[in-house]
Amino acid sequence: MASDMQPLSGHEIPSRVVENCGVSDHACHGKCQSCDSDVKPSCAEVNGISLLIGSHTDGKASKEKCGACTFTYDCAGPDGCLIATNGSCMAVDELTQQFEREQAGAALEDLVFSNDEEEDDSDWDPASGLVMNRWFCLNCTVPNVDEVMYCLNCHELKGSGVDGYDAFKTQIAEAALVSPDTELPEVSTAIGFDERMLLHSELEVKPNPHPERPDRLRAIAASLSAAGIFPSKCALVPPREITKEELLMVHTPDHIESVEQTKNMLYSYFTSDTYANGHSACAAKLAAGLCADLASLIVSGRVQNGFAMVRPPGHHAGVKQAMGFCLHNNAAVAALAAKRTGAKKVLIVDWDVHHGNGTQEIFEGDKSVLYVSLHRHEYGNFYPGTGAAHEVGIHDGQGFSVNIPWSCGGVGDNDYIFAFKTVVLPIAAEFAPDITIISAGFDAARGDPLGCCDVTPTGYSIMTSLLTACSGGRLLVILEGGYNLRSISSSATEVVKVLVGDGSSFDVATAPSKEGLETILQVLKIQQQFWPILGSTYASLQAHEGSVFSKSTNKKRKHSGGPGPFWWKFGSKRLLYKALYEGPLLRKIKGFGQGKAIDSADP
């Protein structure tokens, strides 16, 4: 996943200075390490700050209030995941306050999608009789009541954590190093990683754990080691912090300085969900530096491809604002590093479930960088609200921003692969990039608590394989989002298997869902004016629209008992709260925590 964000519209947020020590809090707030003074941002007077610290809750700015945002939580995604109007999964604490604000007898379909007759909740007080004992899943961060032993979202056992990172850690010293000054490695894949990026974490104690947490990297690293990929099949890039001069090619001086100042703060926030601590500036510069060096090594031919196992993520970071868990835009830094090394044209494919508004903003007028994003959009109601199909770039860059905005949640492999074959690959072939960069967020993966979609590790593997041919195999994969540890580790491992040549070959004939086909037709209609090669595909799909999409178009809304969103199964506010807080009702719902389907009719 309202906030005290810097608005997308680009309004400047004035700096203020803490009188005690003179440290500016431009674009952030928190506790100053120099003088222990509380620092508040000038943009903290925003309405509707979310209680769900740790989901994407920034949203789009209100022009009338010059950046102040107001949000309500009054709808559910078609995948059934209770969401804010900006698309985040809602926390239990938020639900309580939201229901208290609602009028008695409000329409329950605002909360869940169900065709069943809803019961009247007008006489029910959600605050009465709540049992607050709960535990948070270490795998996906979703809250669960104490009575259950397995997470209702991902079915992970209570208390289970990440194993295997220590094995990866001991193997770091065994890995071959690759840099412009070293001999060519025997392997063709490089990995960027540094343990100091694990020090970036949320220090302020919150009711809910933040989903963008250090264990994300530990889980992926452990999986790569267990799969035998690291260190035997890839080399390691020596870490370095990106220079200010390199960052100035992407971000404004004020933005760079605001991130740098967090070194003087015990903890701080750029937005309500974008945190920093005293180590975050270093972590962000390491992430950007690794991405830049990987891109240069690939373009220069020293390695064929690479995986940047980095955090904090970057694709929401714009020219002058940090947001959406992102501080510096790693993909943009990598693209410009590739161009400095000799690449004339760079393709960025962003499959994170959220639109990369920062990356699009940075390159929207640049025809040498083609930005393609596949993301959940829901007509602007899913975070960050940008990325509509009609956003095609500006000035010389018109046609070089290609947005594929899904209209609902639950989107899976078939829709993504169909979009690749009909939109992404034809445009990429016409563009003929010198290097392809993937902004690889894994929050569209099955079981992710924020994305609530259904892409599998096999789906990510197929998409990676399809992209290898776009630029002669010169491919850089940069980690973005993804918050279910099992999902991101298995998905990232399948992607890296493709890079090292161990990926399985797939030739899959896919049929999209009805909703997916409608989105793709909309994109083809708009983009064919810039890419005439799409014209025949658009005409063919339009002529056979009724017979193209999958017959099981609503399958994505059904819960099969595997990892995935569960909120929509409860037909009313009363049942939802009982399921979350009152143990007796949970025993009436068969199969939770046992890998079985819920014993109720599909909506």
Side-chain angles (χ1 to χ4, degrees), residues 262-278:
T262 62
K263 294 190 301 185
N264 301 313
M265 316 285 280
L266 180 63
Y267 60 81
S268 52
Y269 287 86
F270 290 90
T271 69
S272 63
D273 60 6
T274 305
Y275 64 80
N277 64 23

Side-chain angles (χ1 to χ4, degrees), residues 509-524:
T510 57
S513 66
K514 181 179 180 180
E515 297 85 354
L517 180 59
E518 290 172 350
T519 295
I520 292 166
L521 283 171
Q522 178 191 23
V523 174
L524 290 171

Side-chain angles (χ1 to χ4, degrees), residues 347 349 372 374 404 419-429 467 470:
L347 167 64
V349 176
V372 181
L374 305 92
I404 303 174
F420 262 61
K421 292 182 176 180
T422 56
V423 180
V424 180
L425 297 180
I427 293 178
L467 288 173
C470 292

Side-chain angles (χ1 to χ4, degrees), residues 188-240:
S188 60
T189 299
I191 285 184
F193 174 76
D194 188 273
E195 280 200 288
R196 287 173 288 177
M197 291 183 289
L198 300 177
L199 299 175
H200 170 66
S201 63
E202 185 176 45
L203 296 184
E204 185 177 0
V205 178
K206 297 291 181 61
N208 299 40
H210 201 292
E212 206 297 283
R213 58 211 192 275
D215 276 350
R216 297 175 62 240
L217 291 193
R218 293 190 183 101
I220 296 173
S223 181
L224 294 177
S225 176
I229 296 172
F230 185 88
S232 61
K233 297 181 179 180
C234 49
L236 200 61
V237 176
R240 73 170 178 94

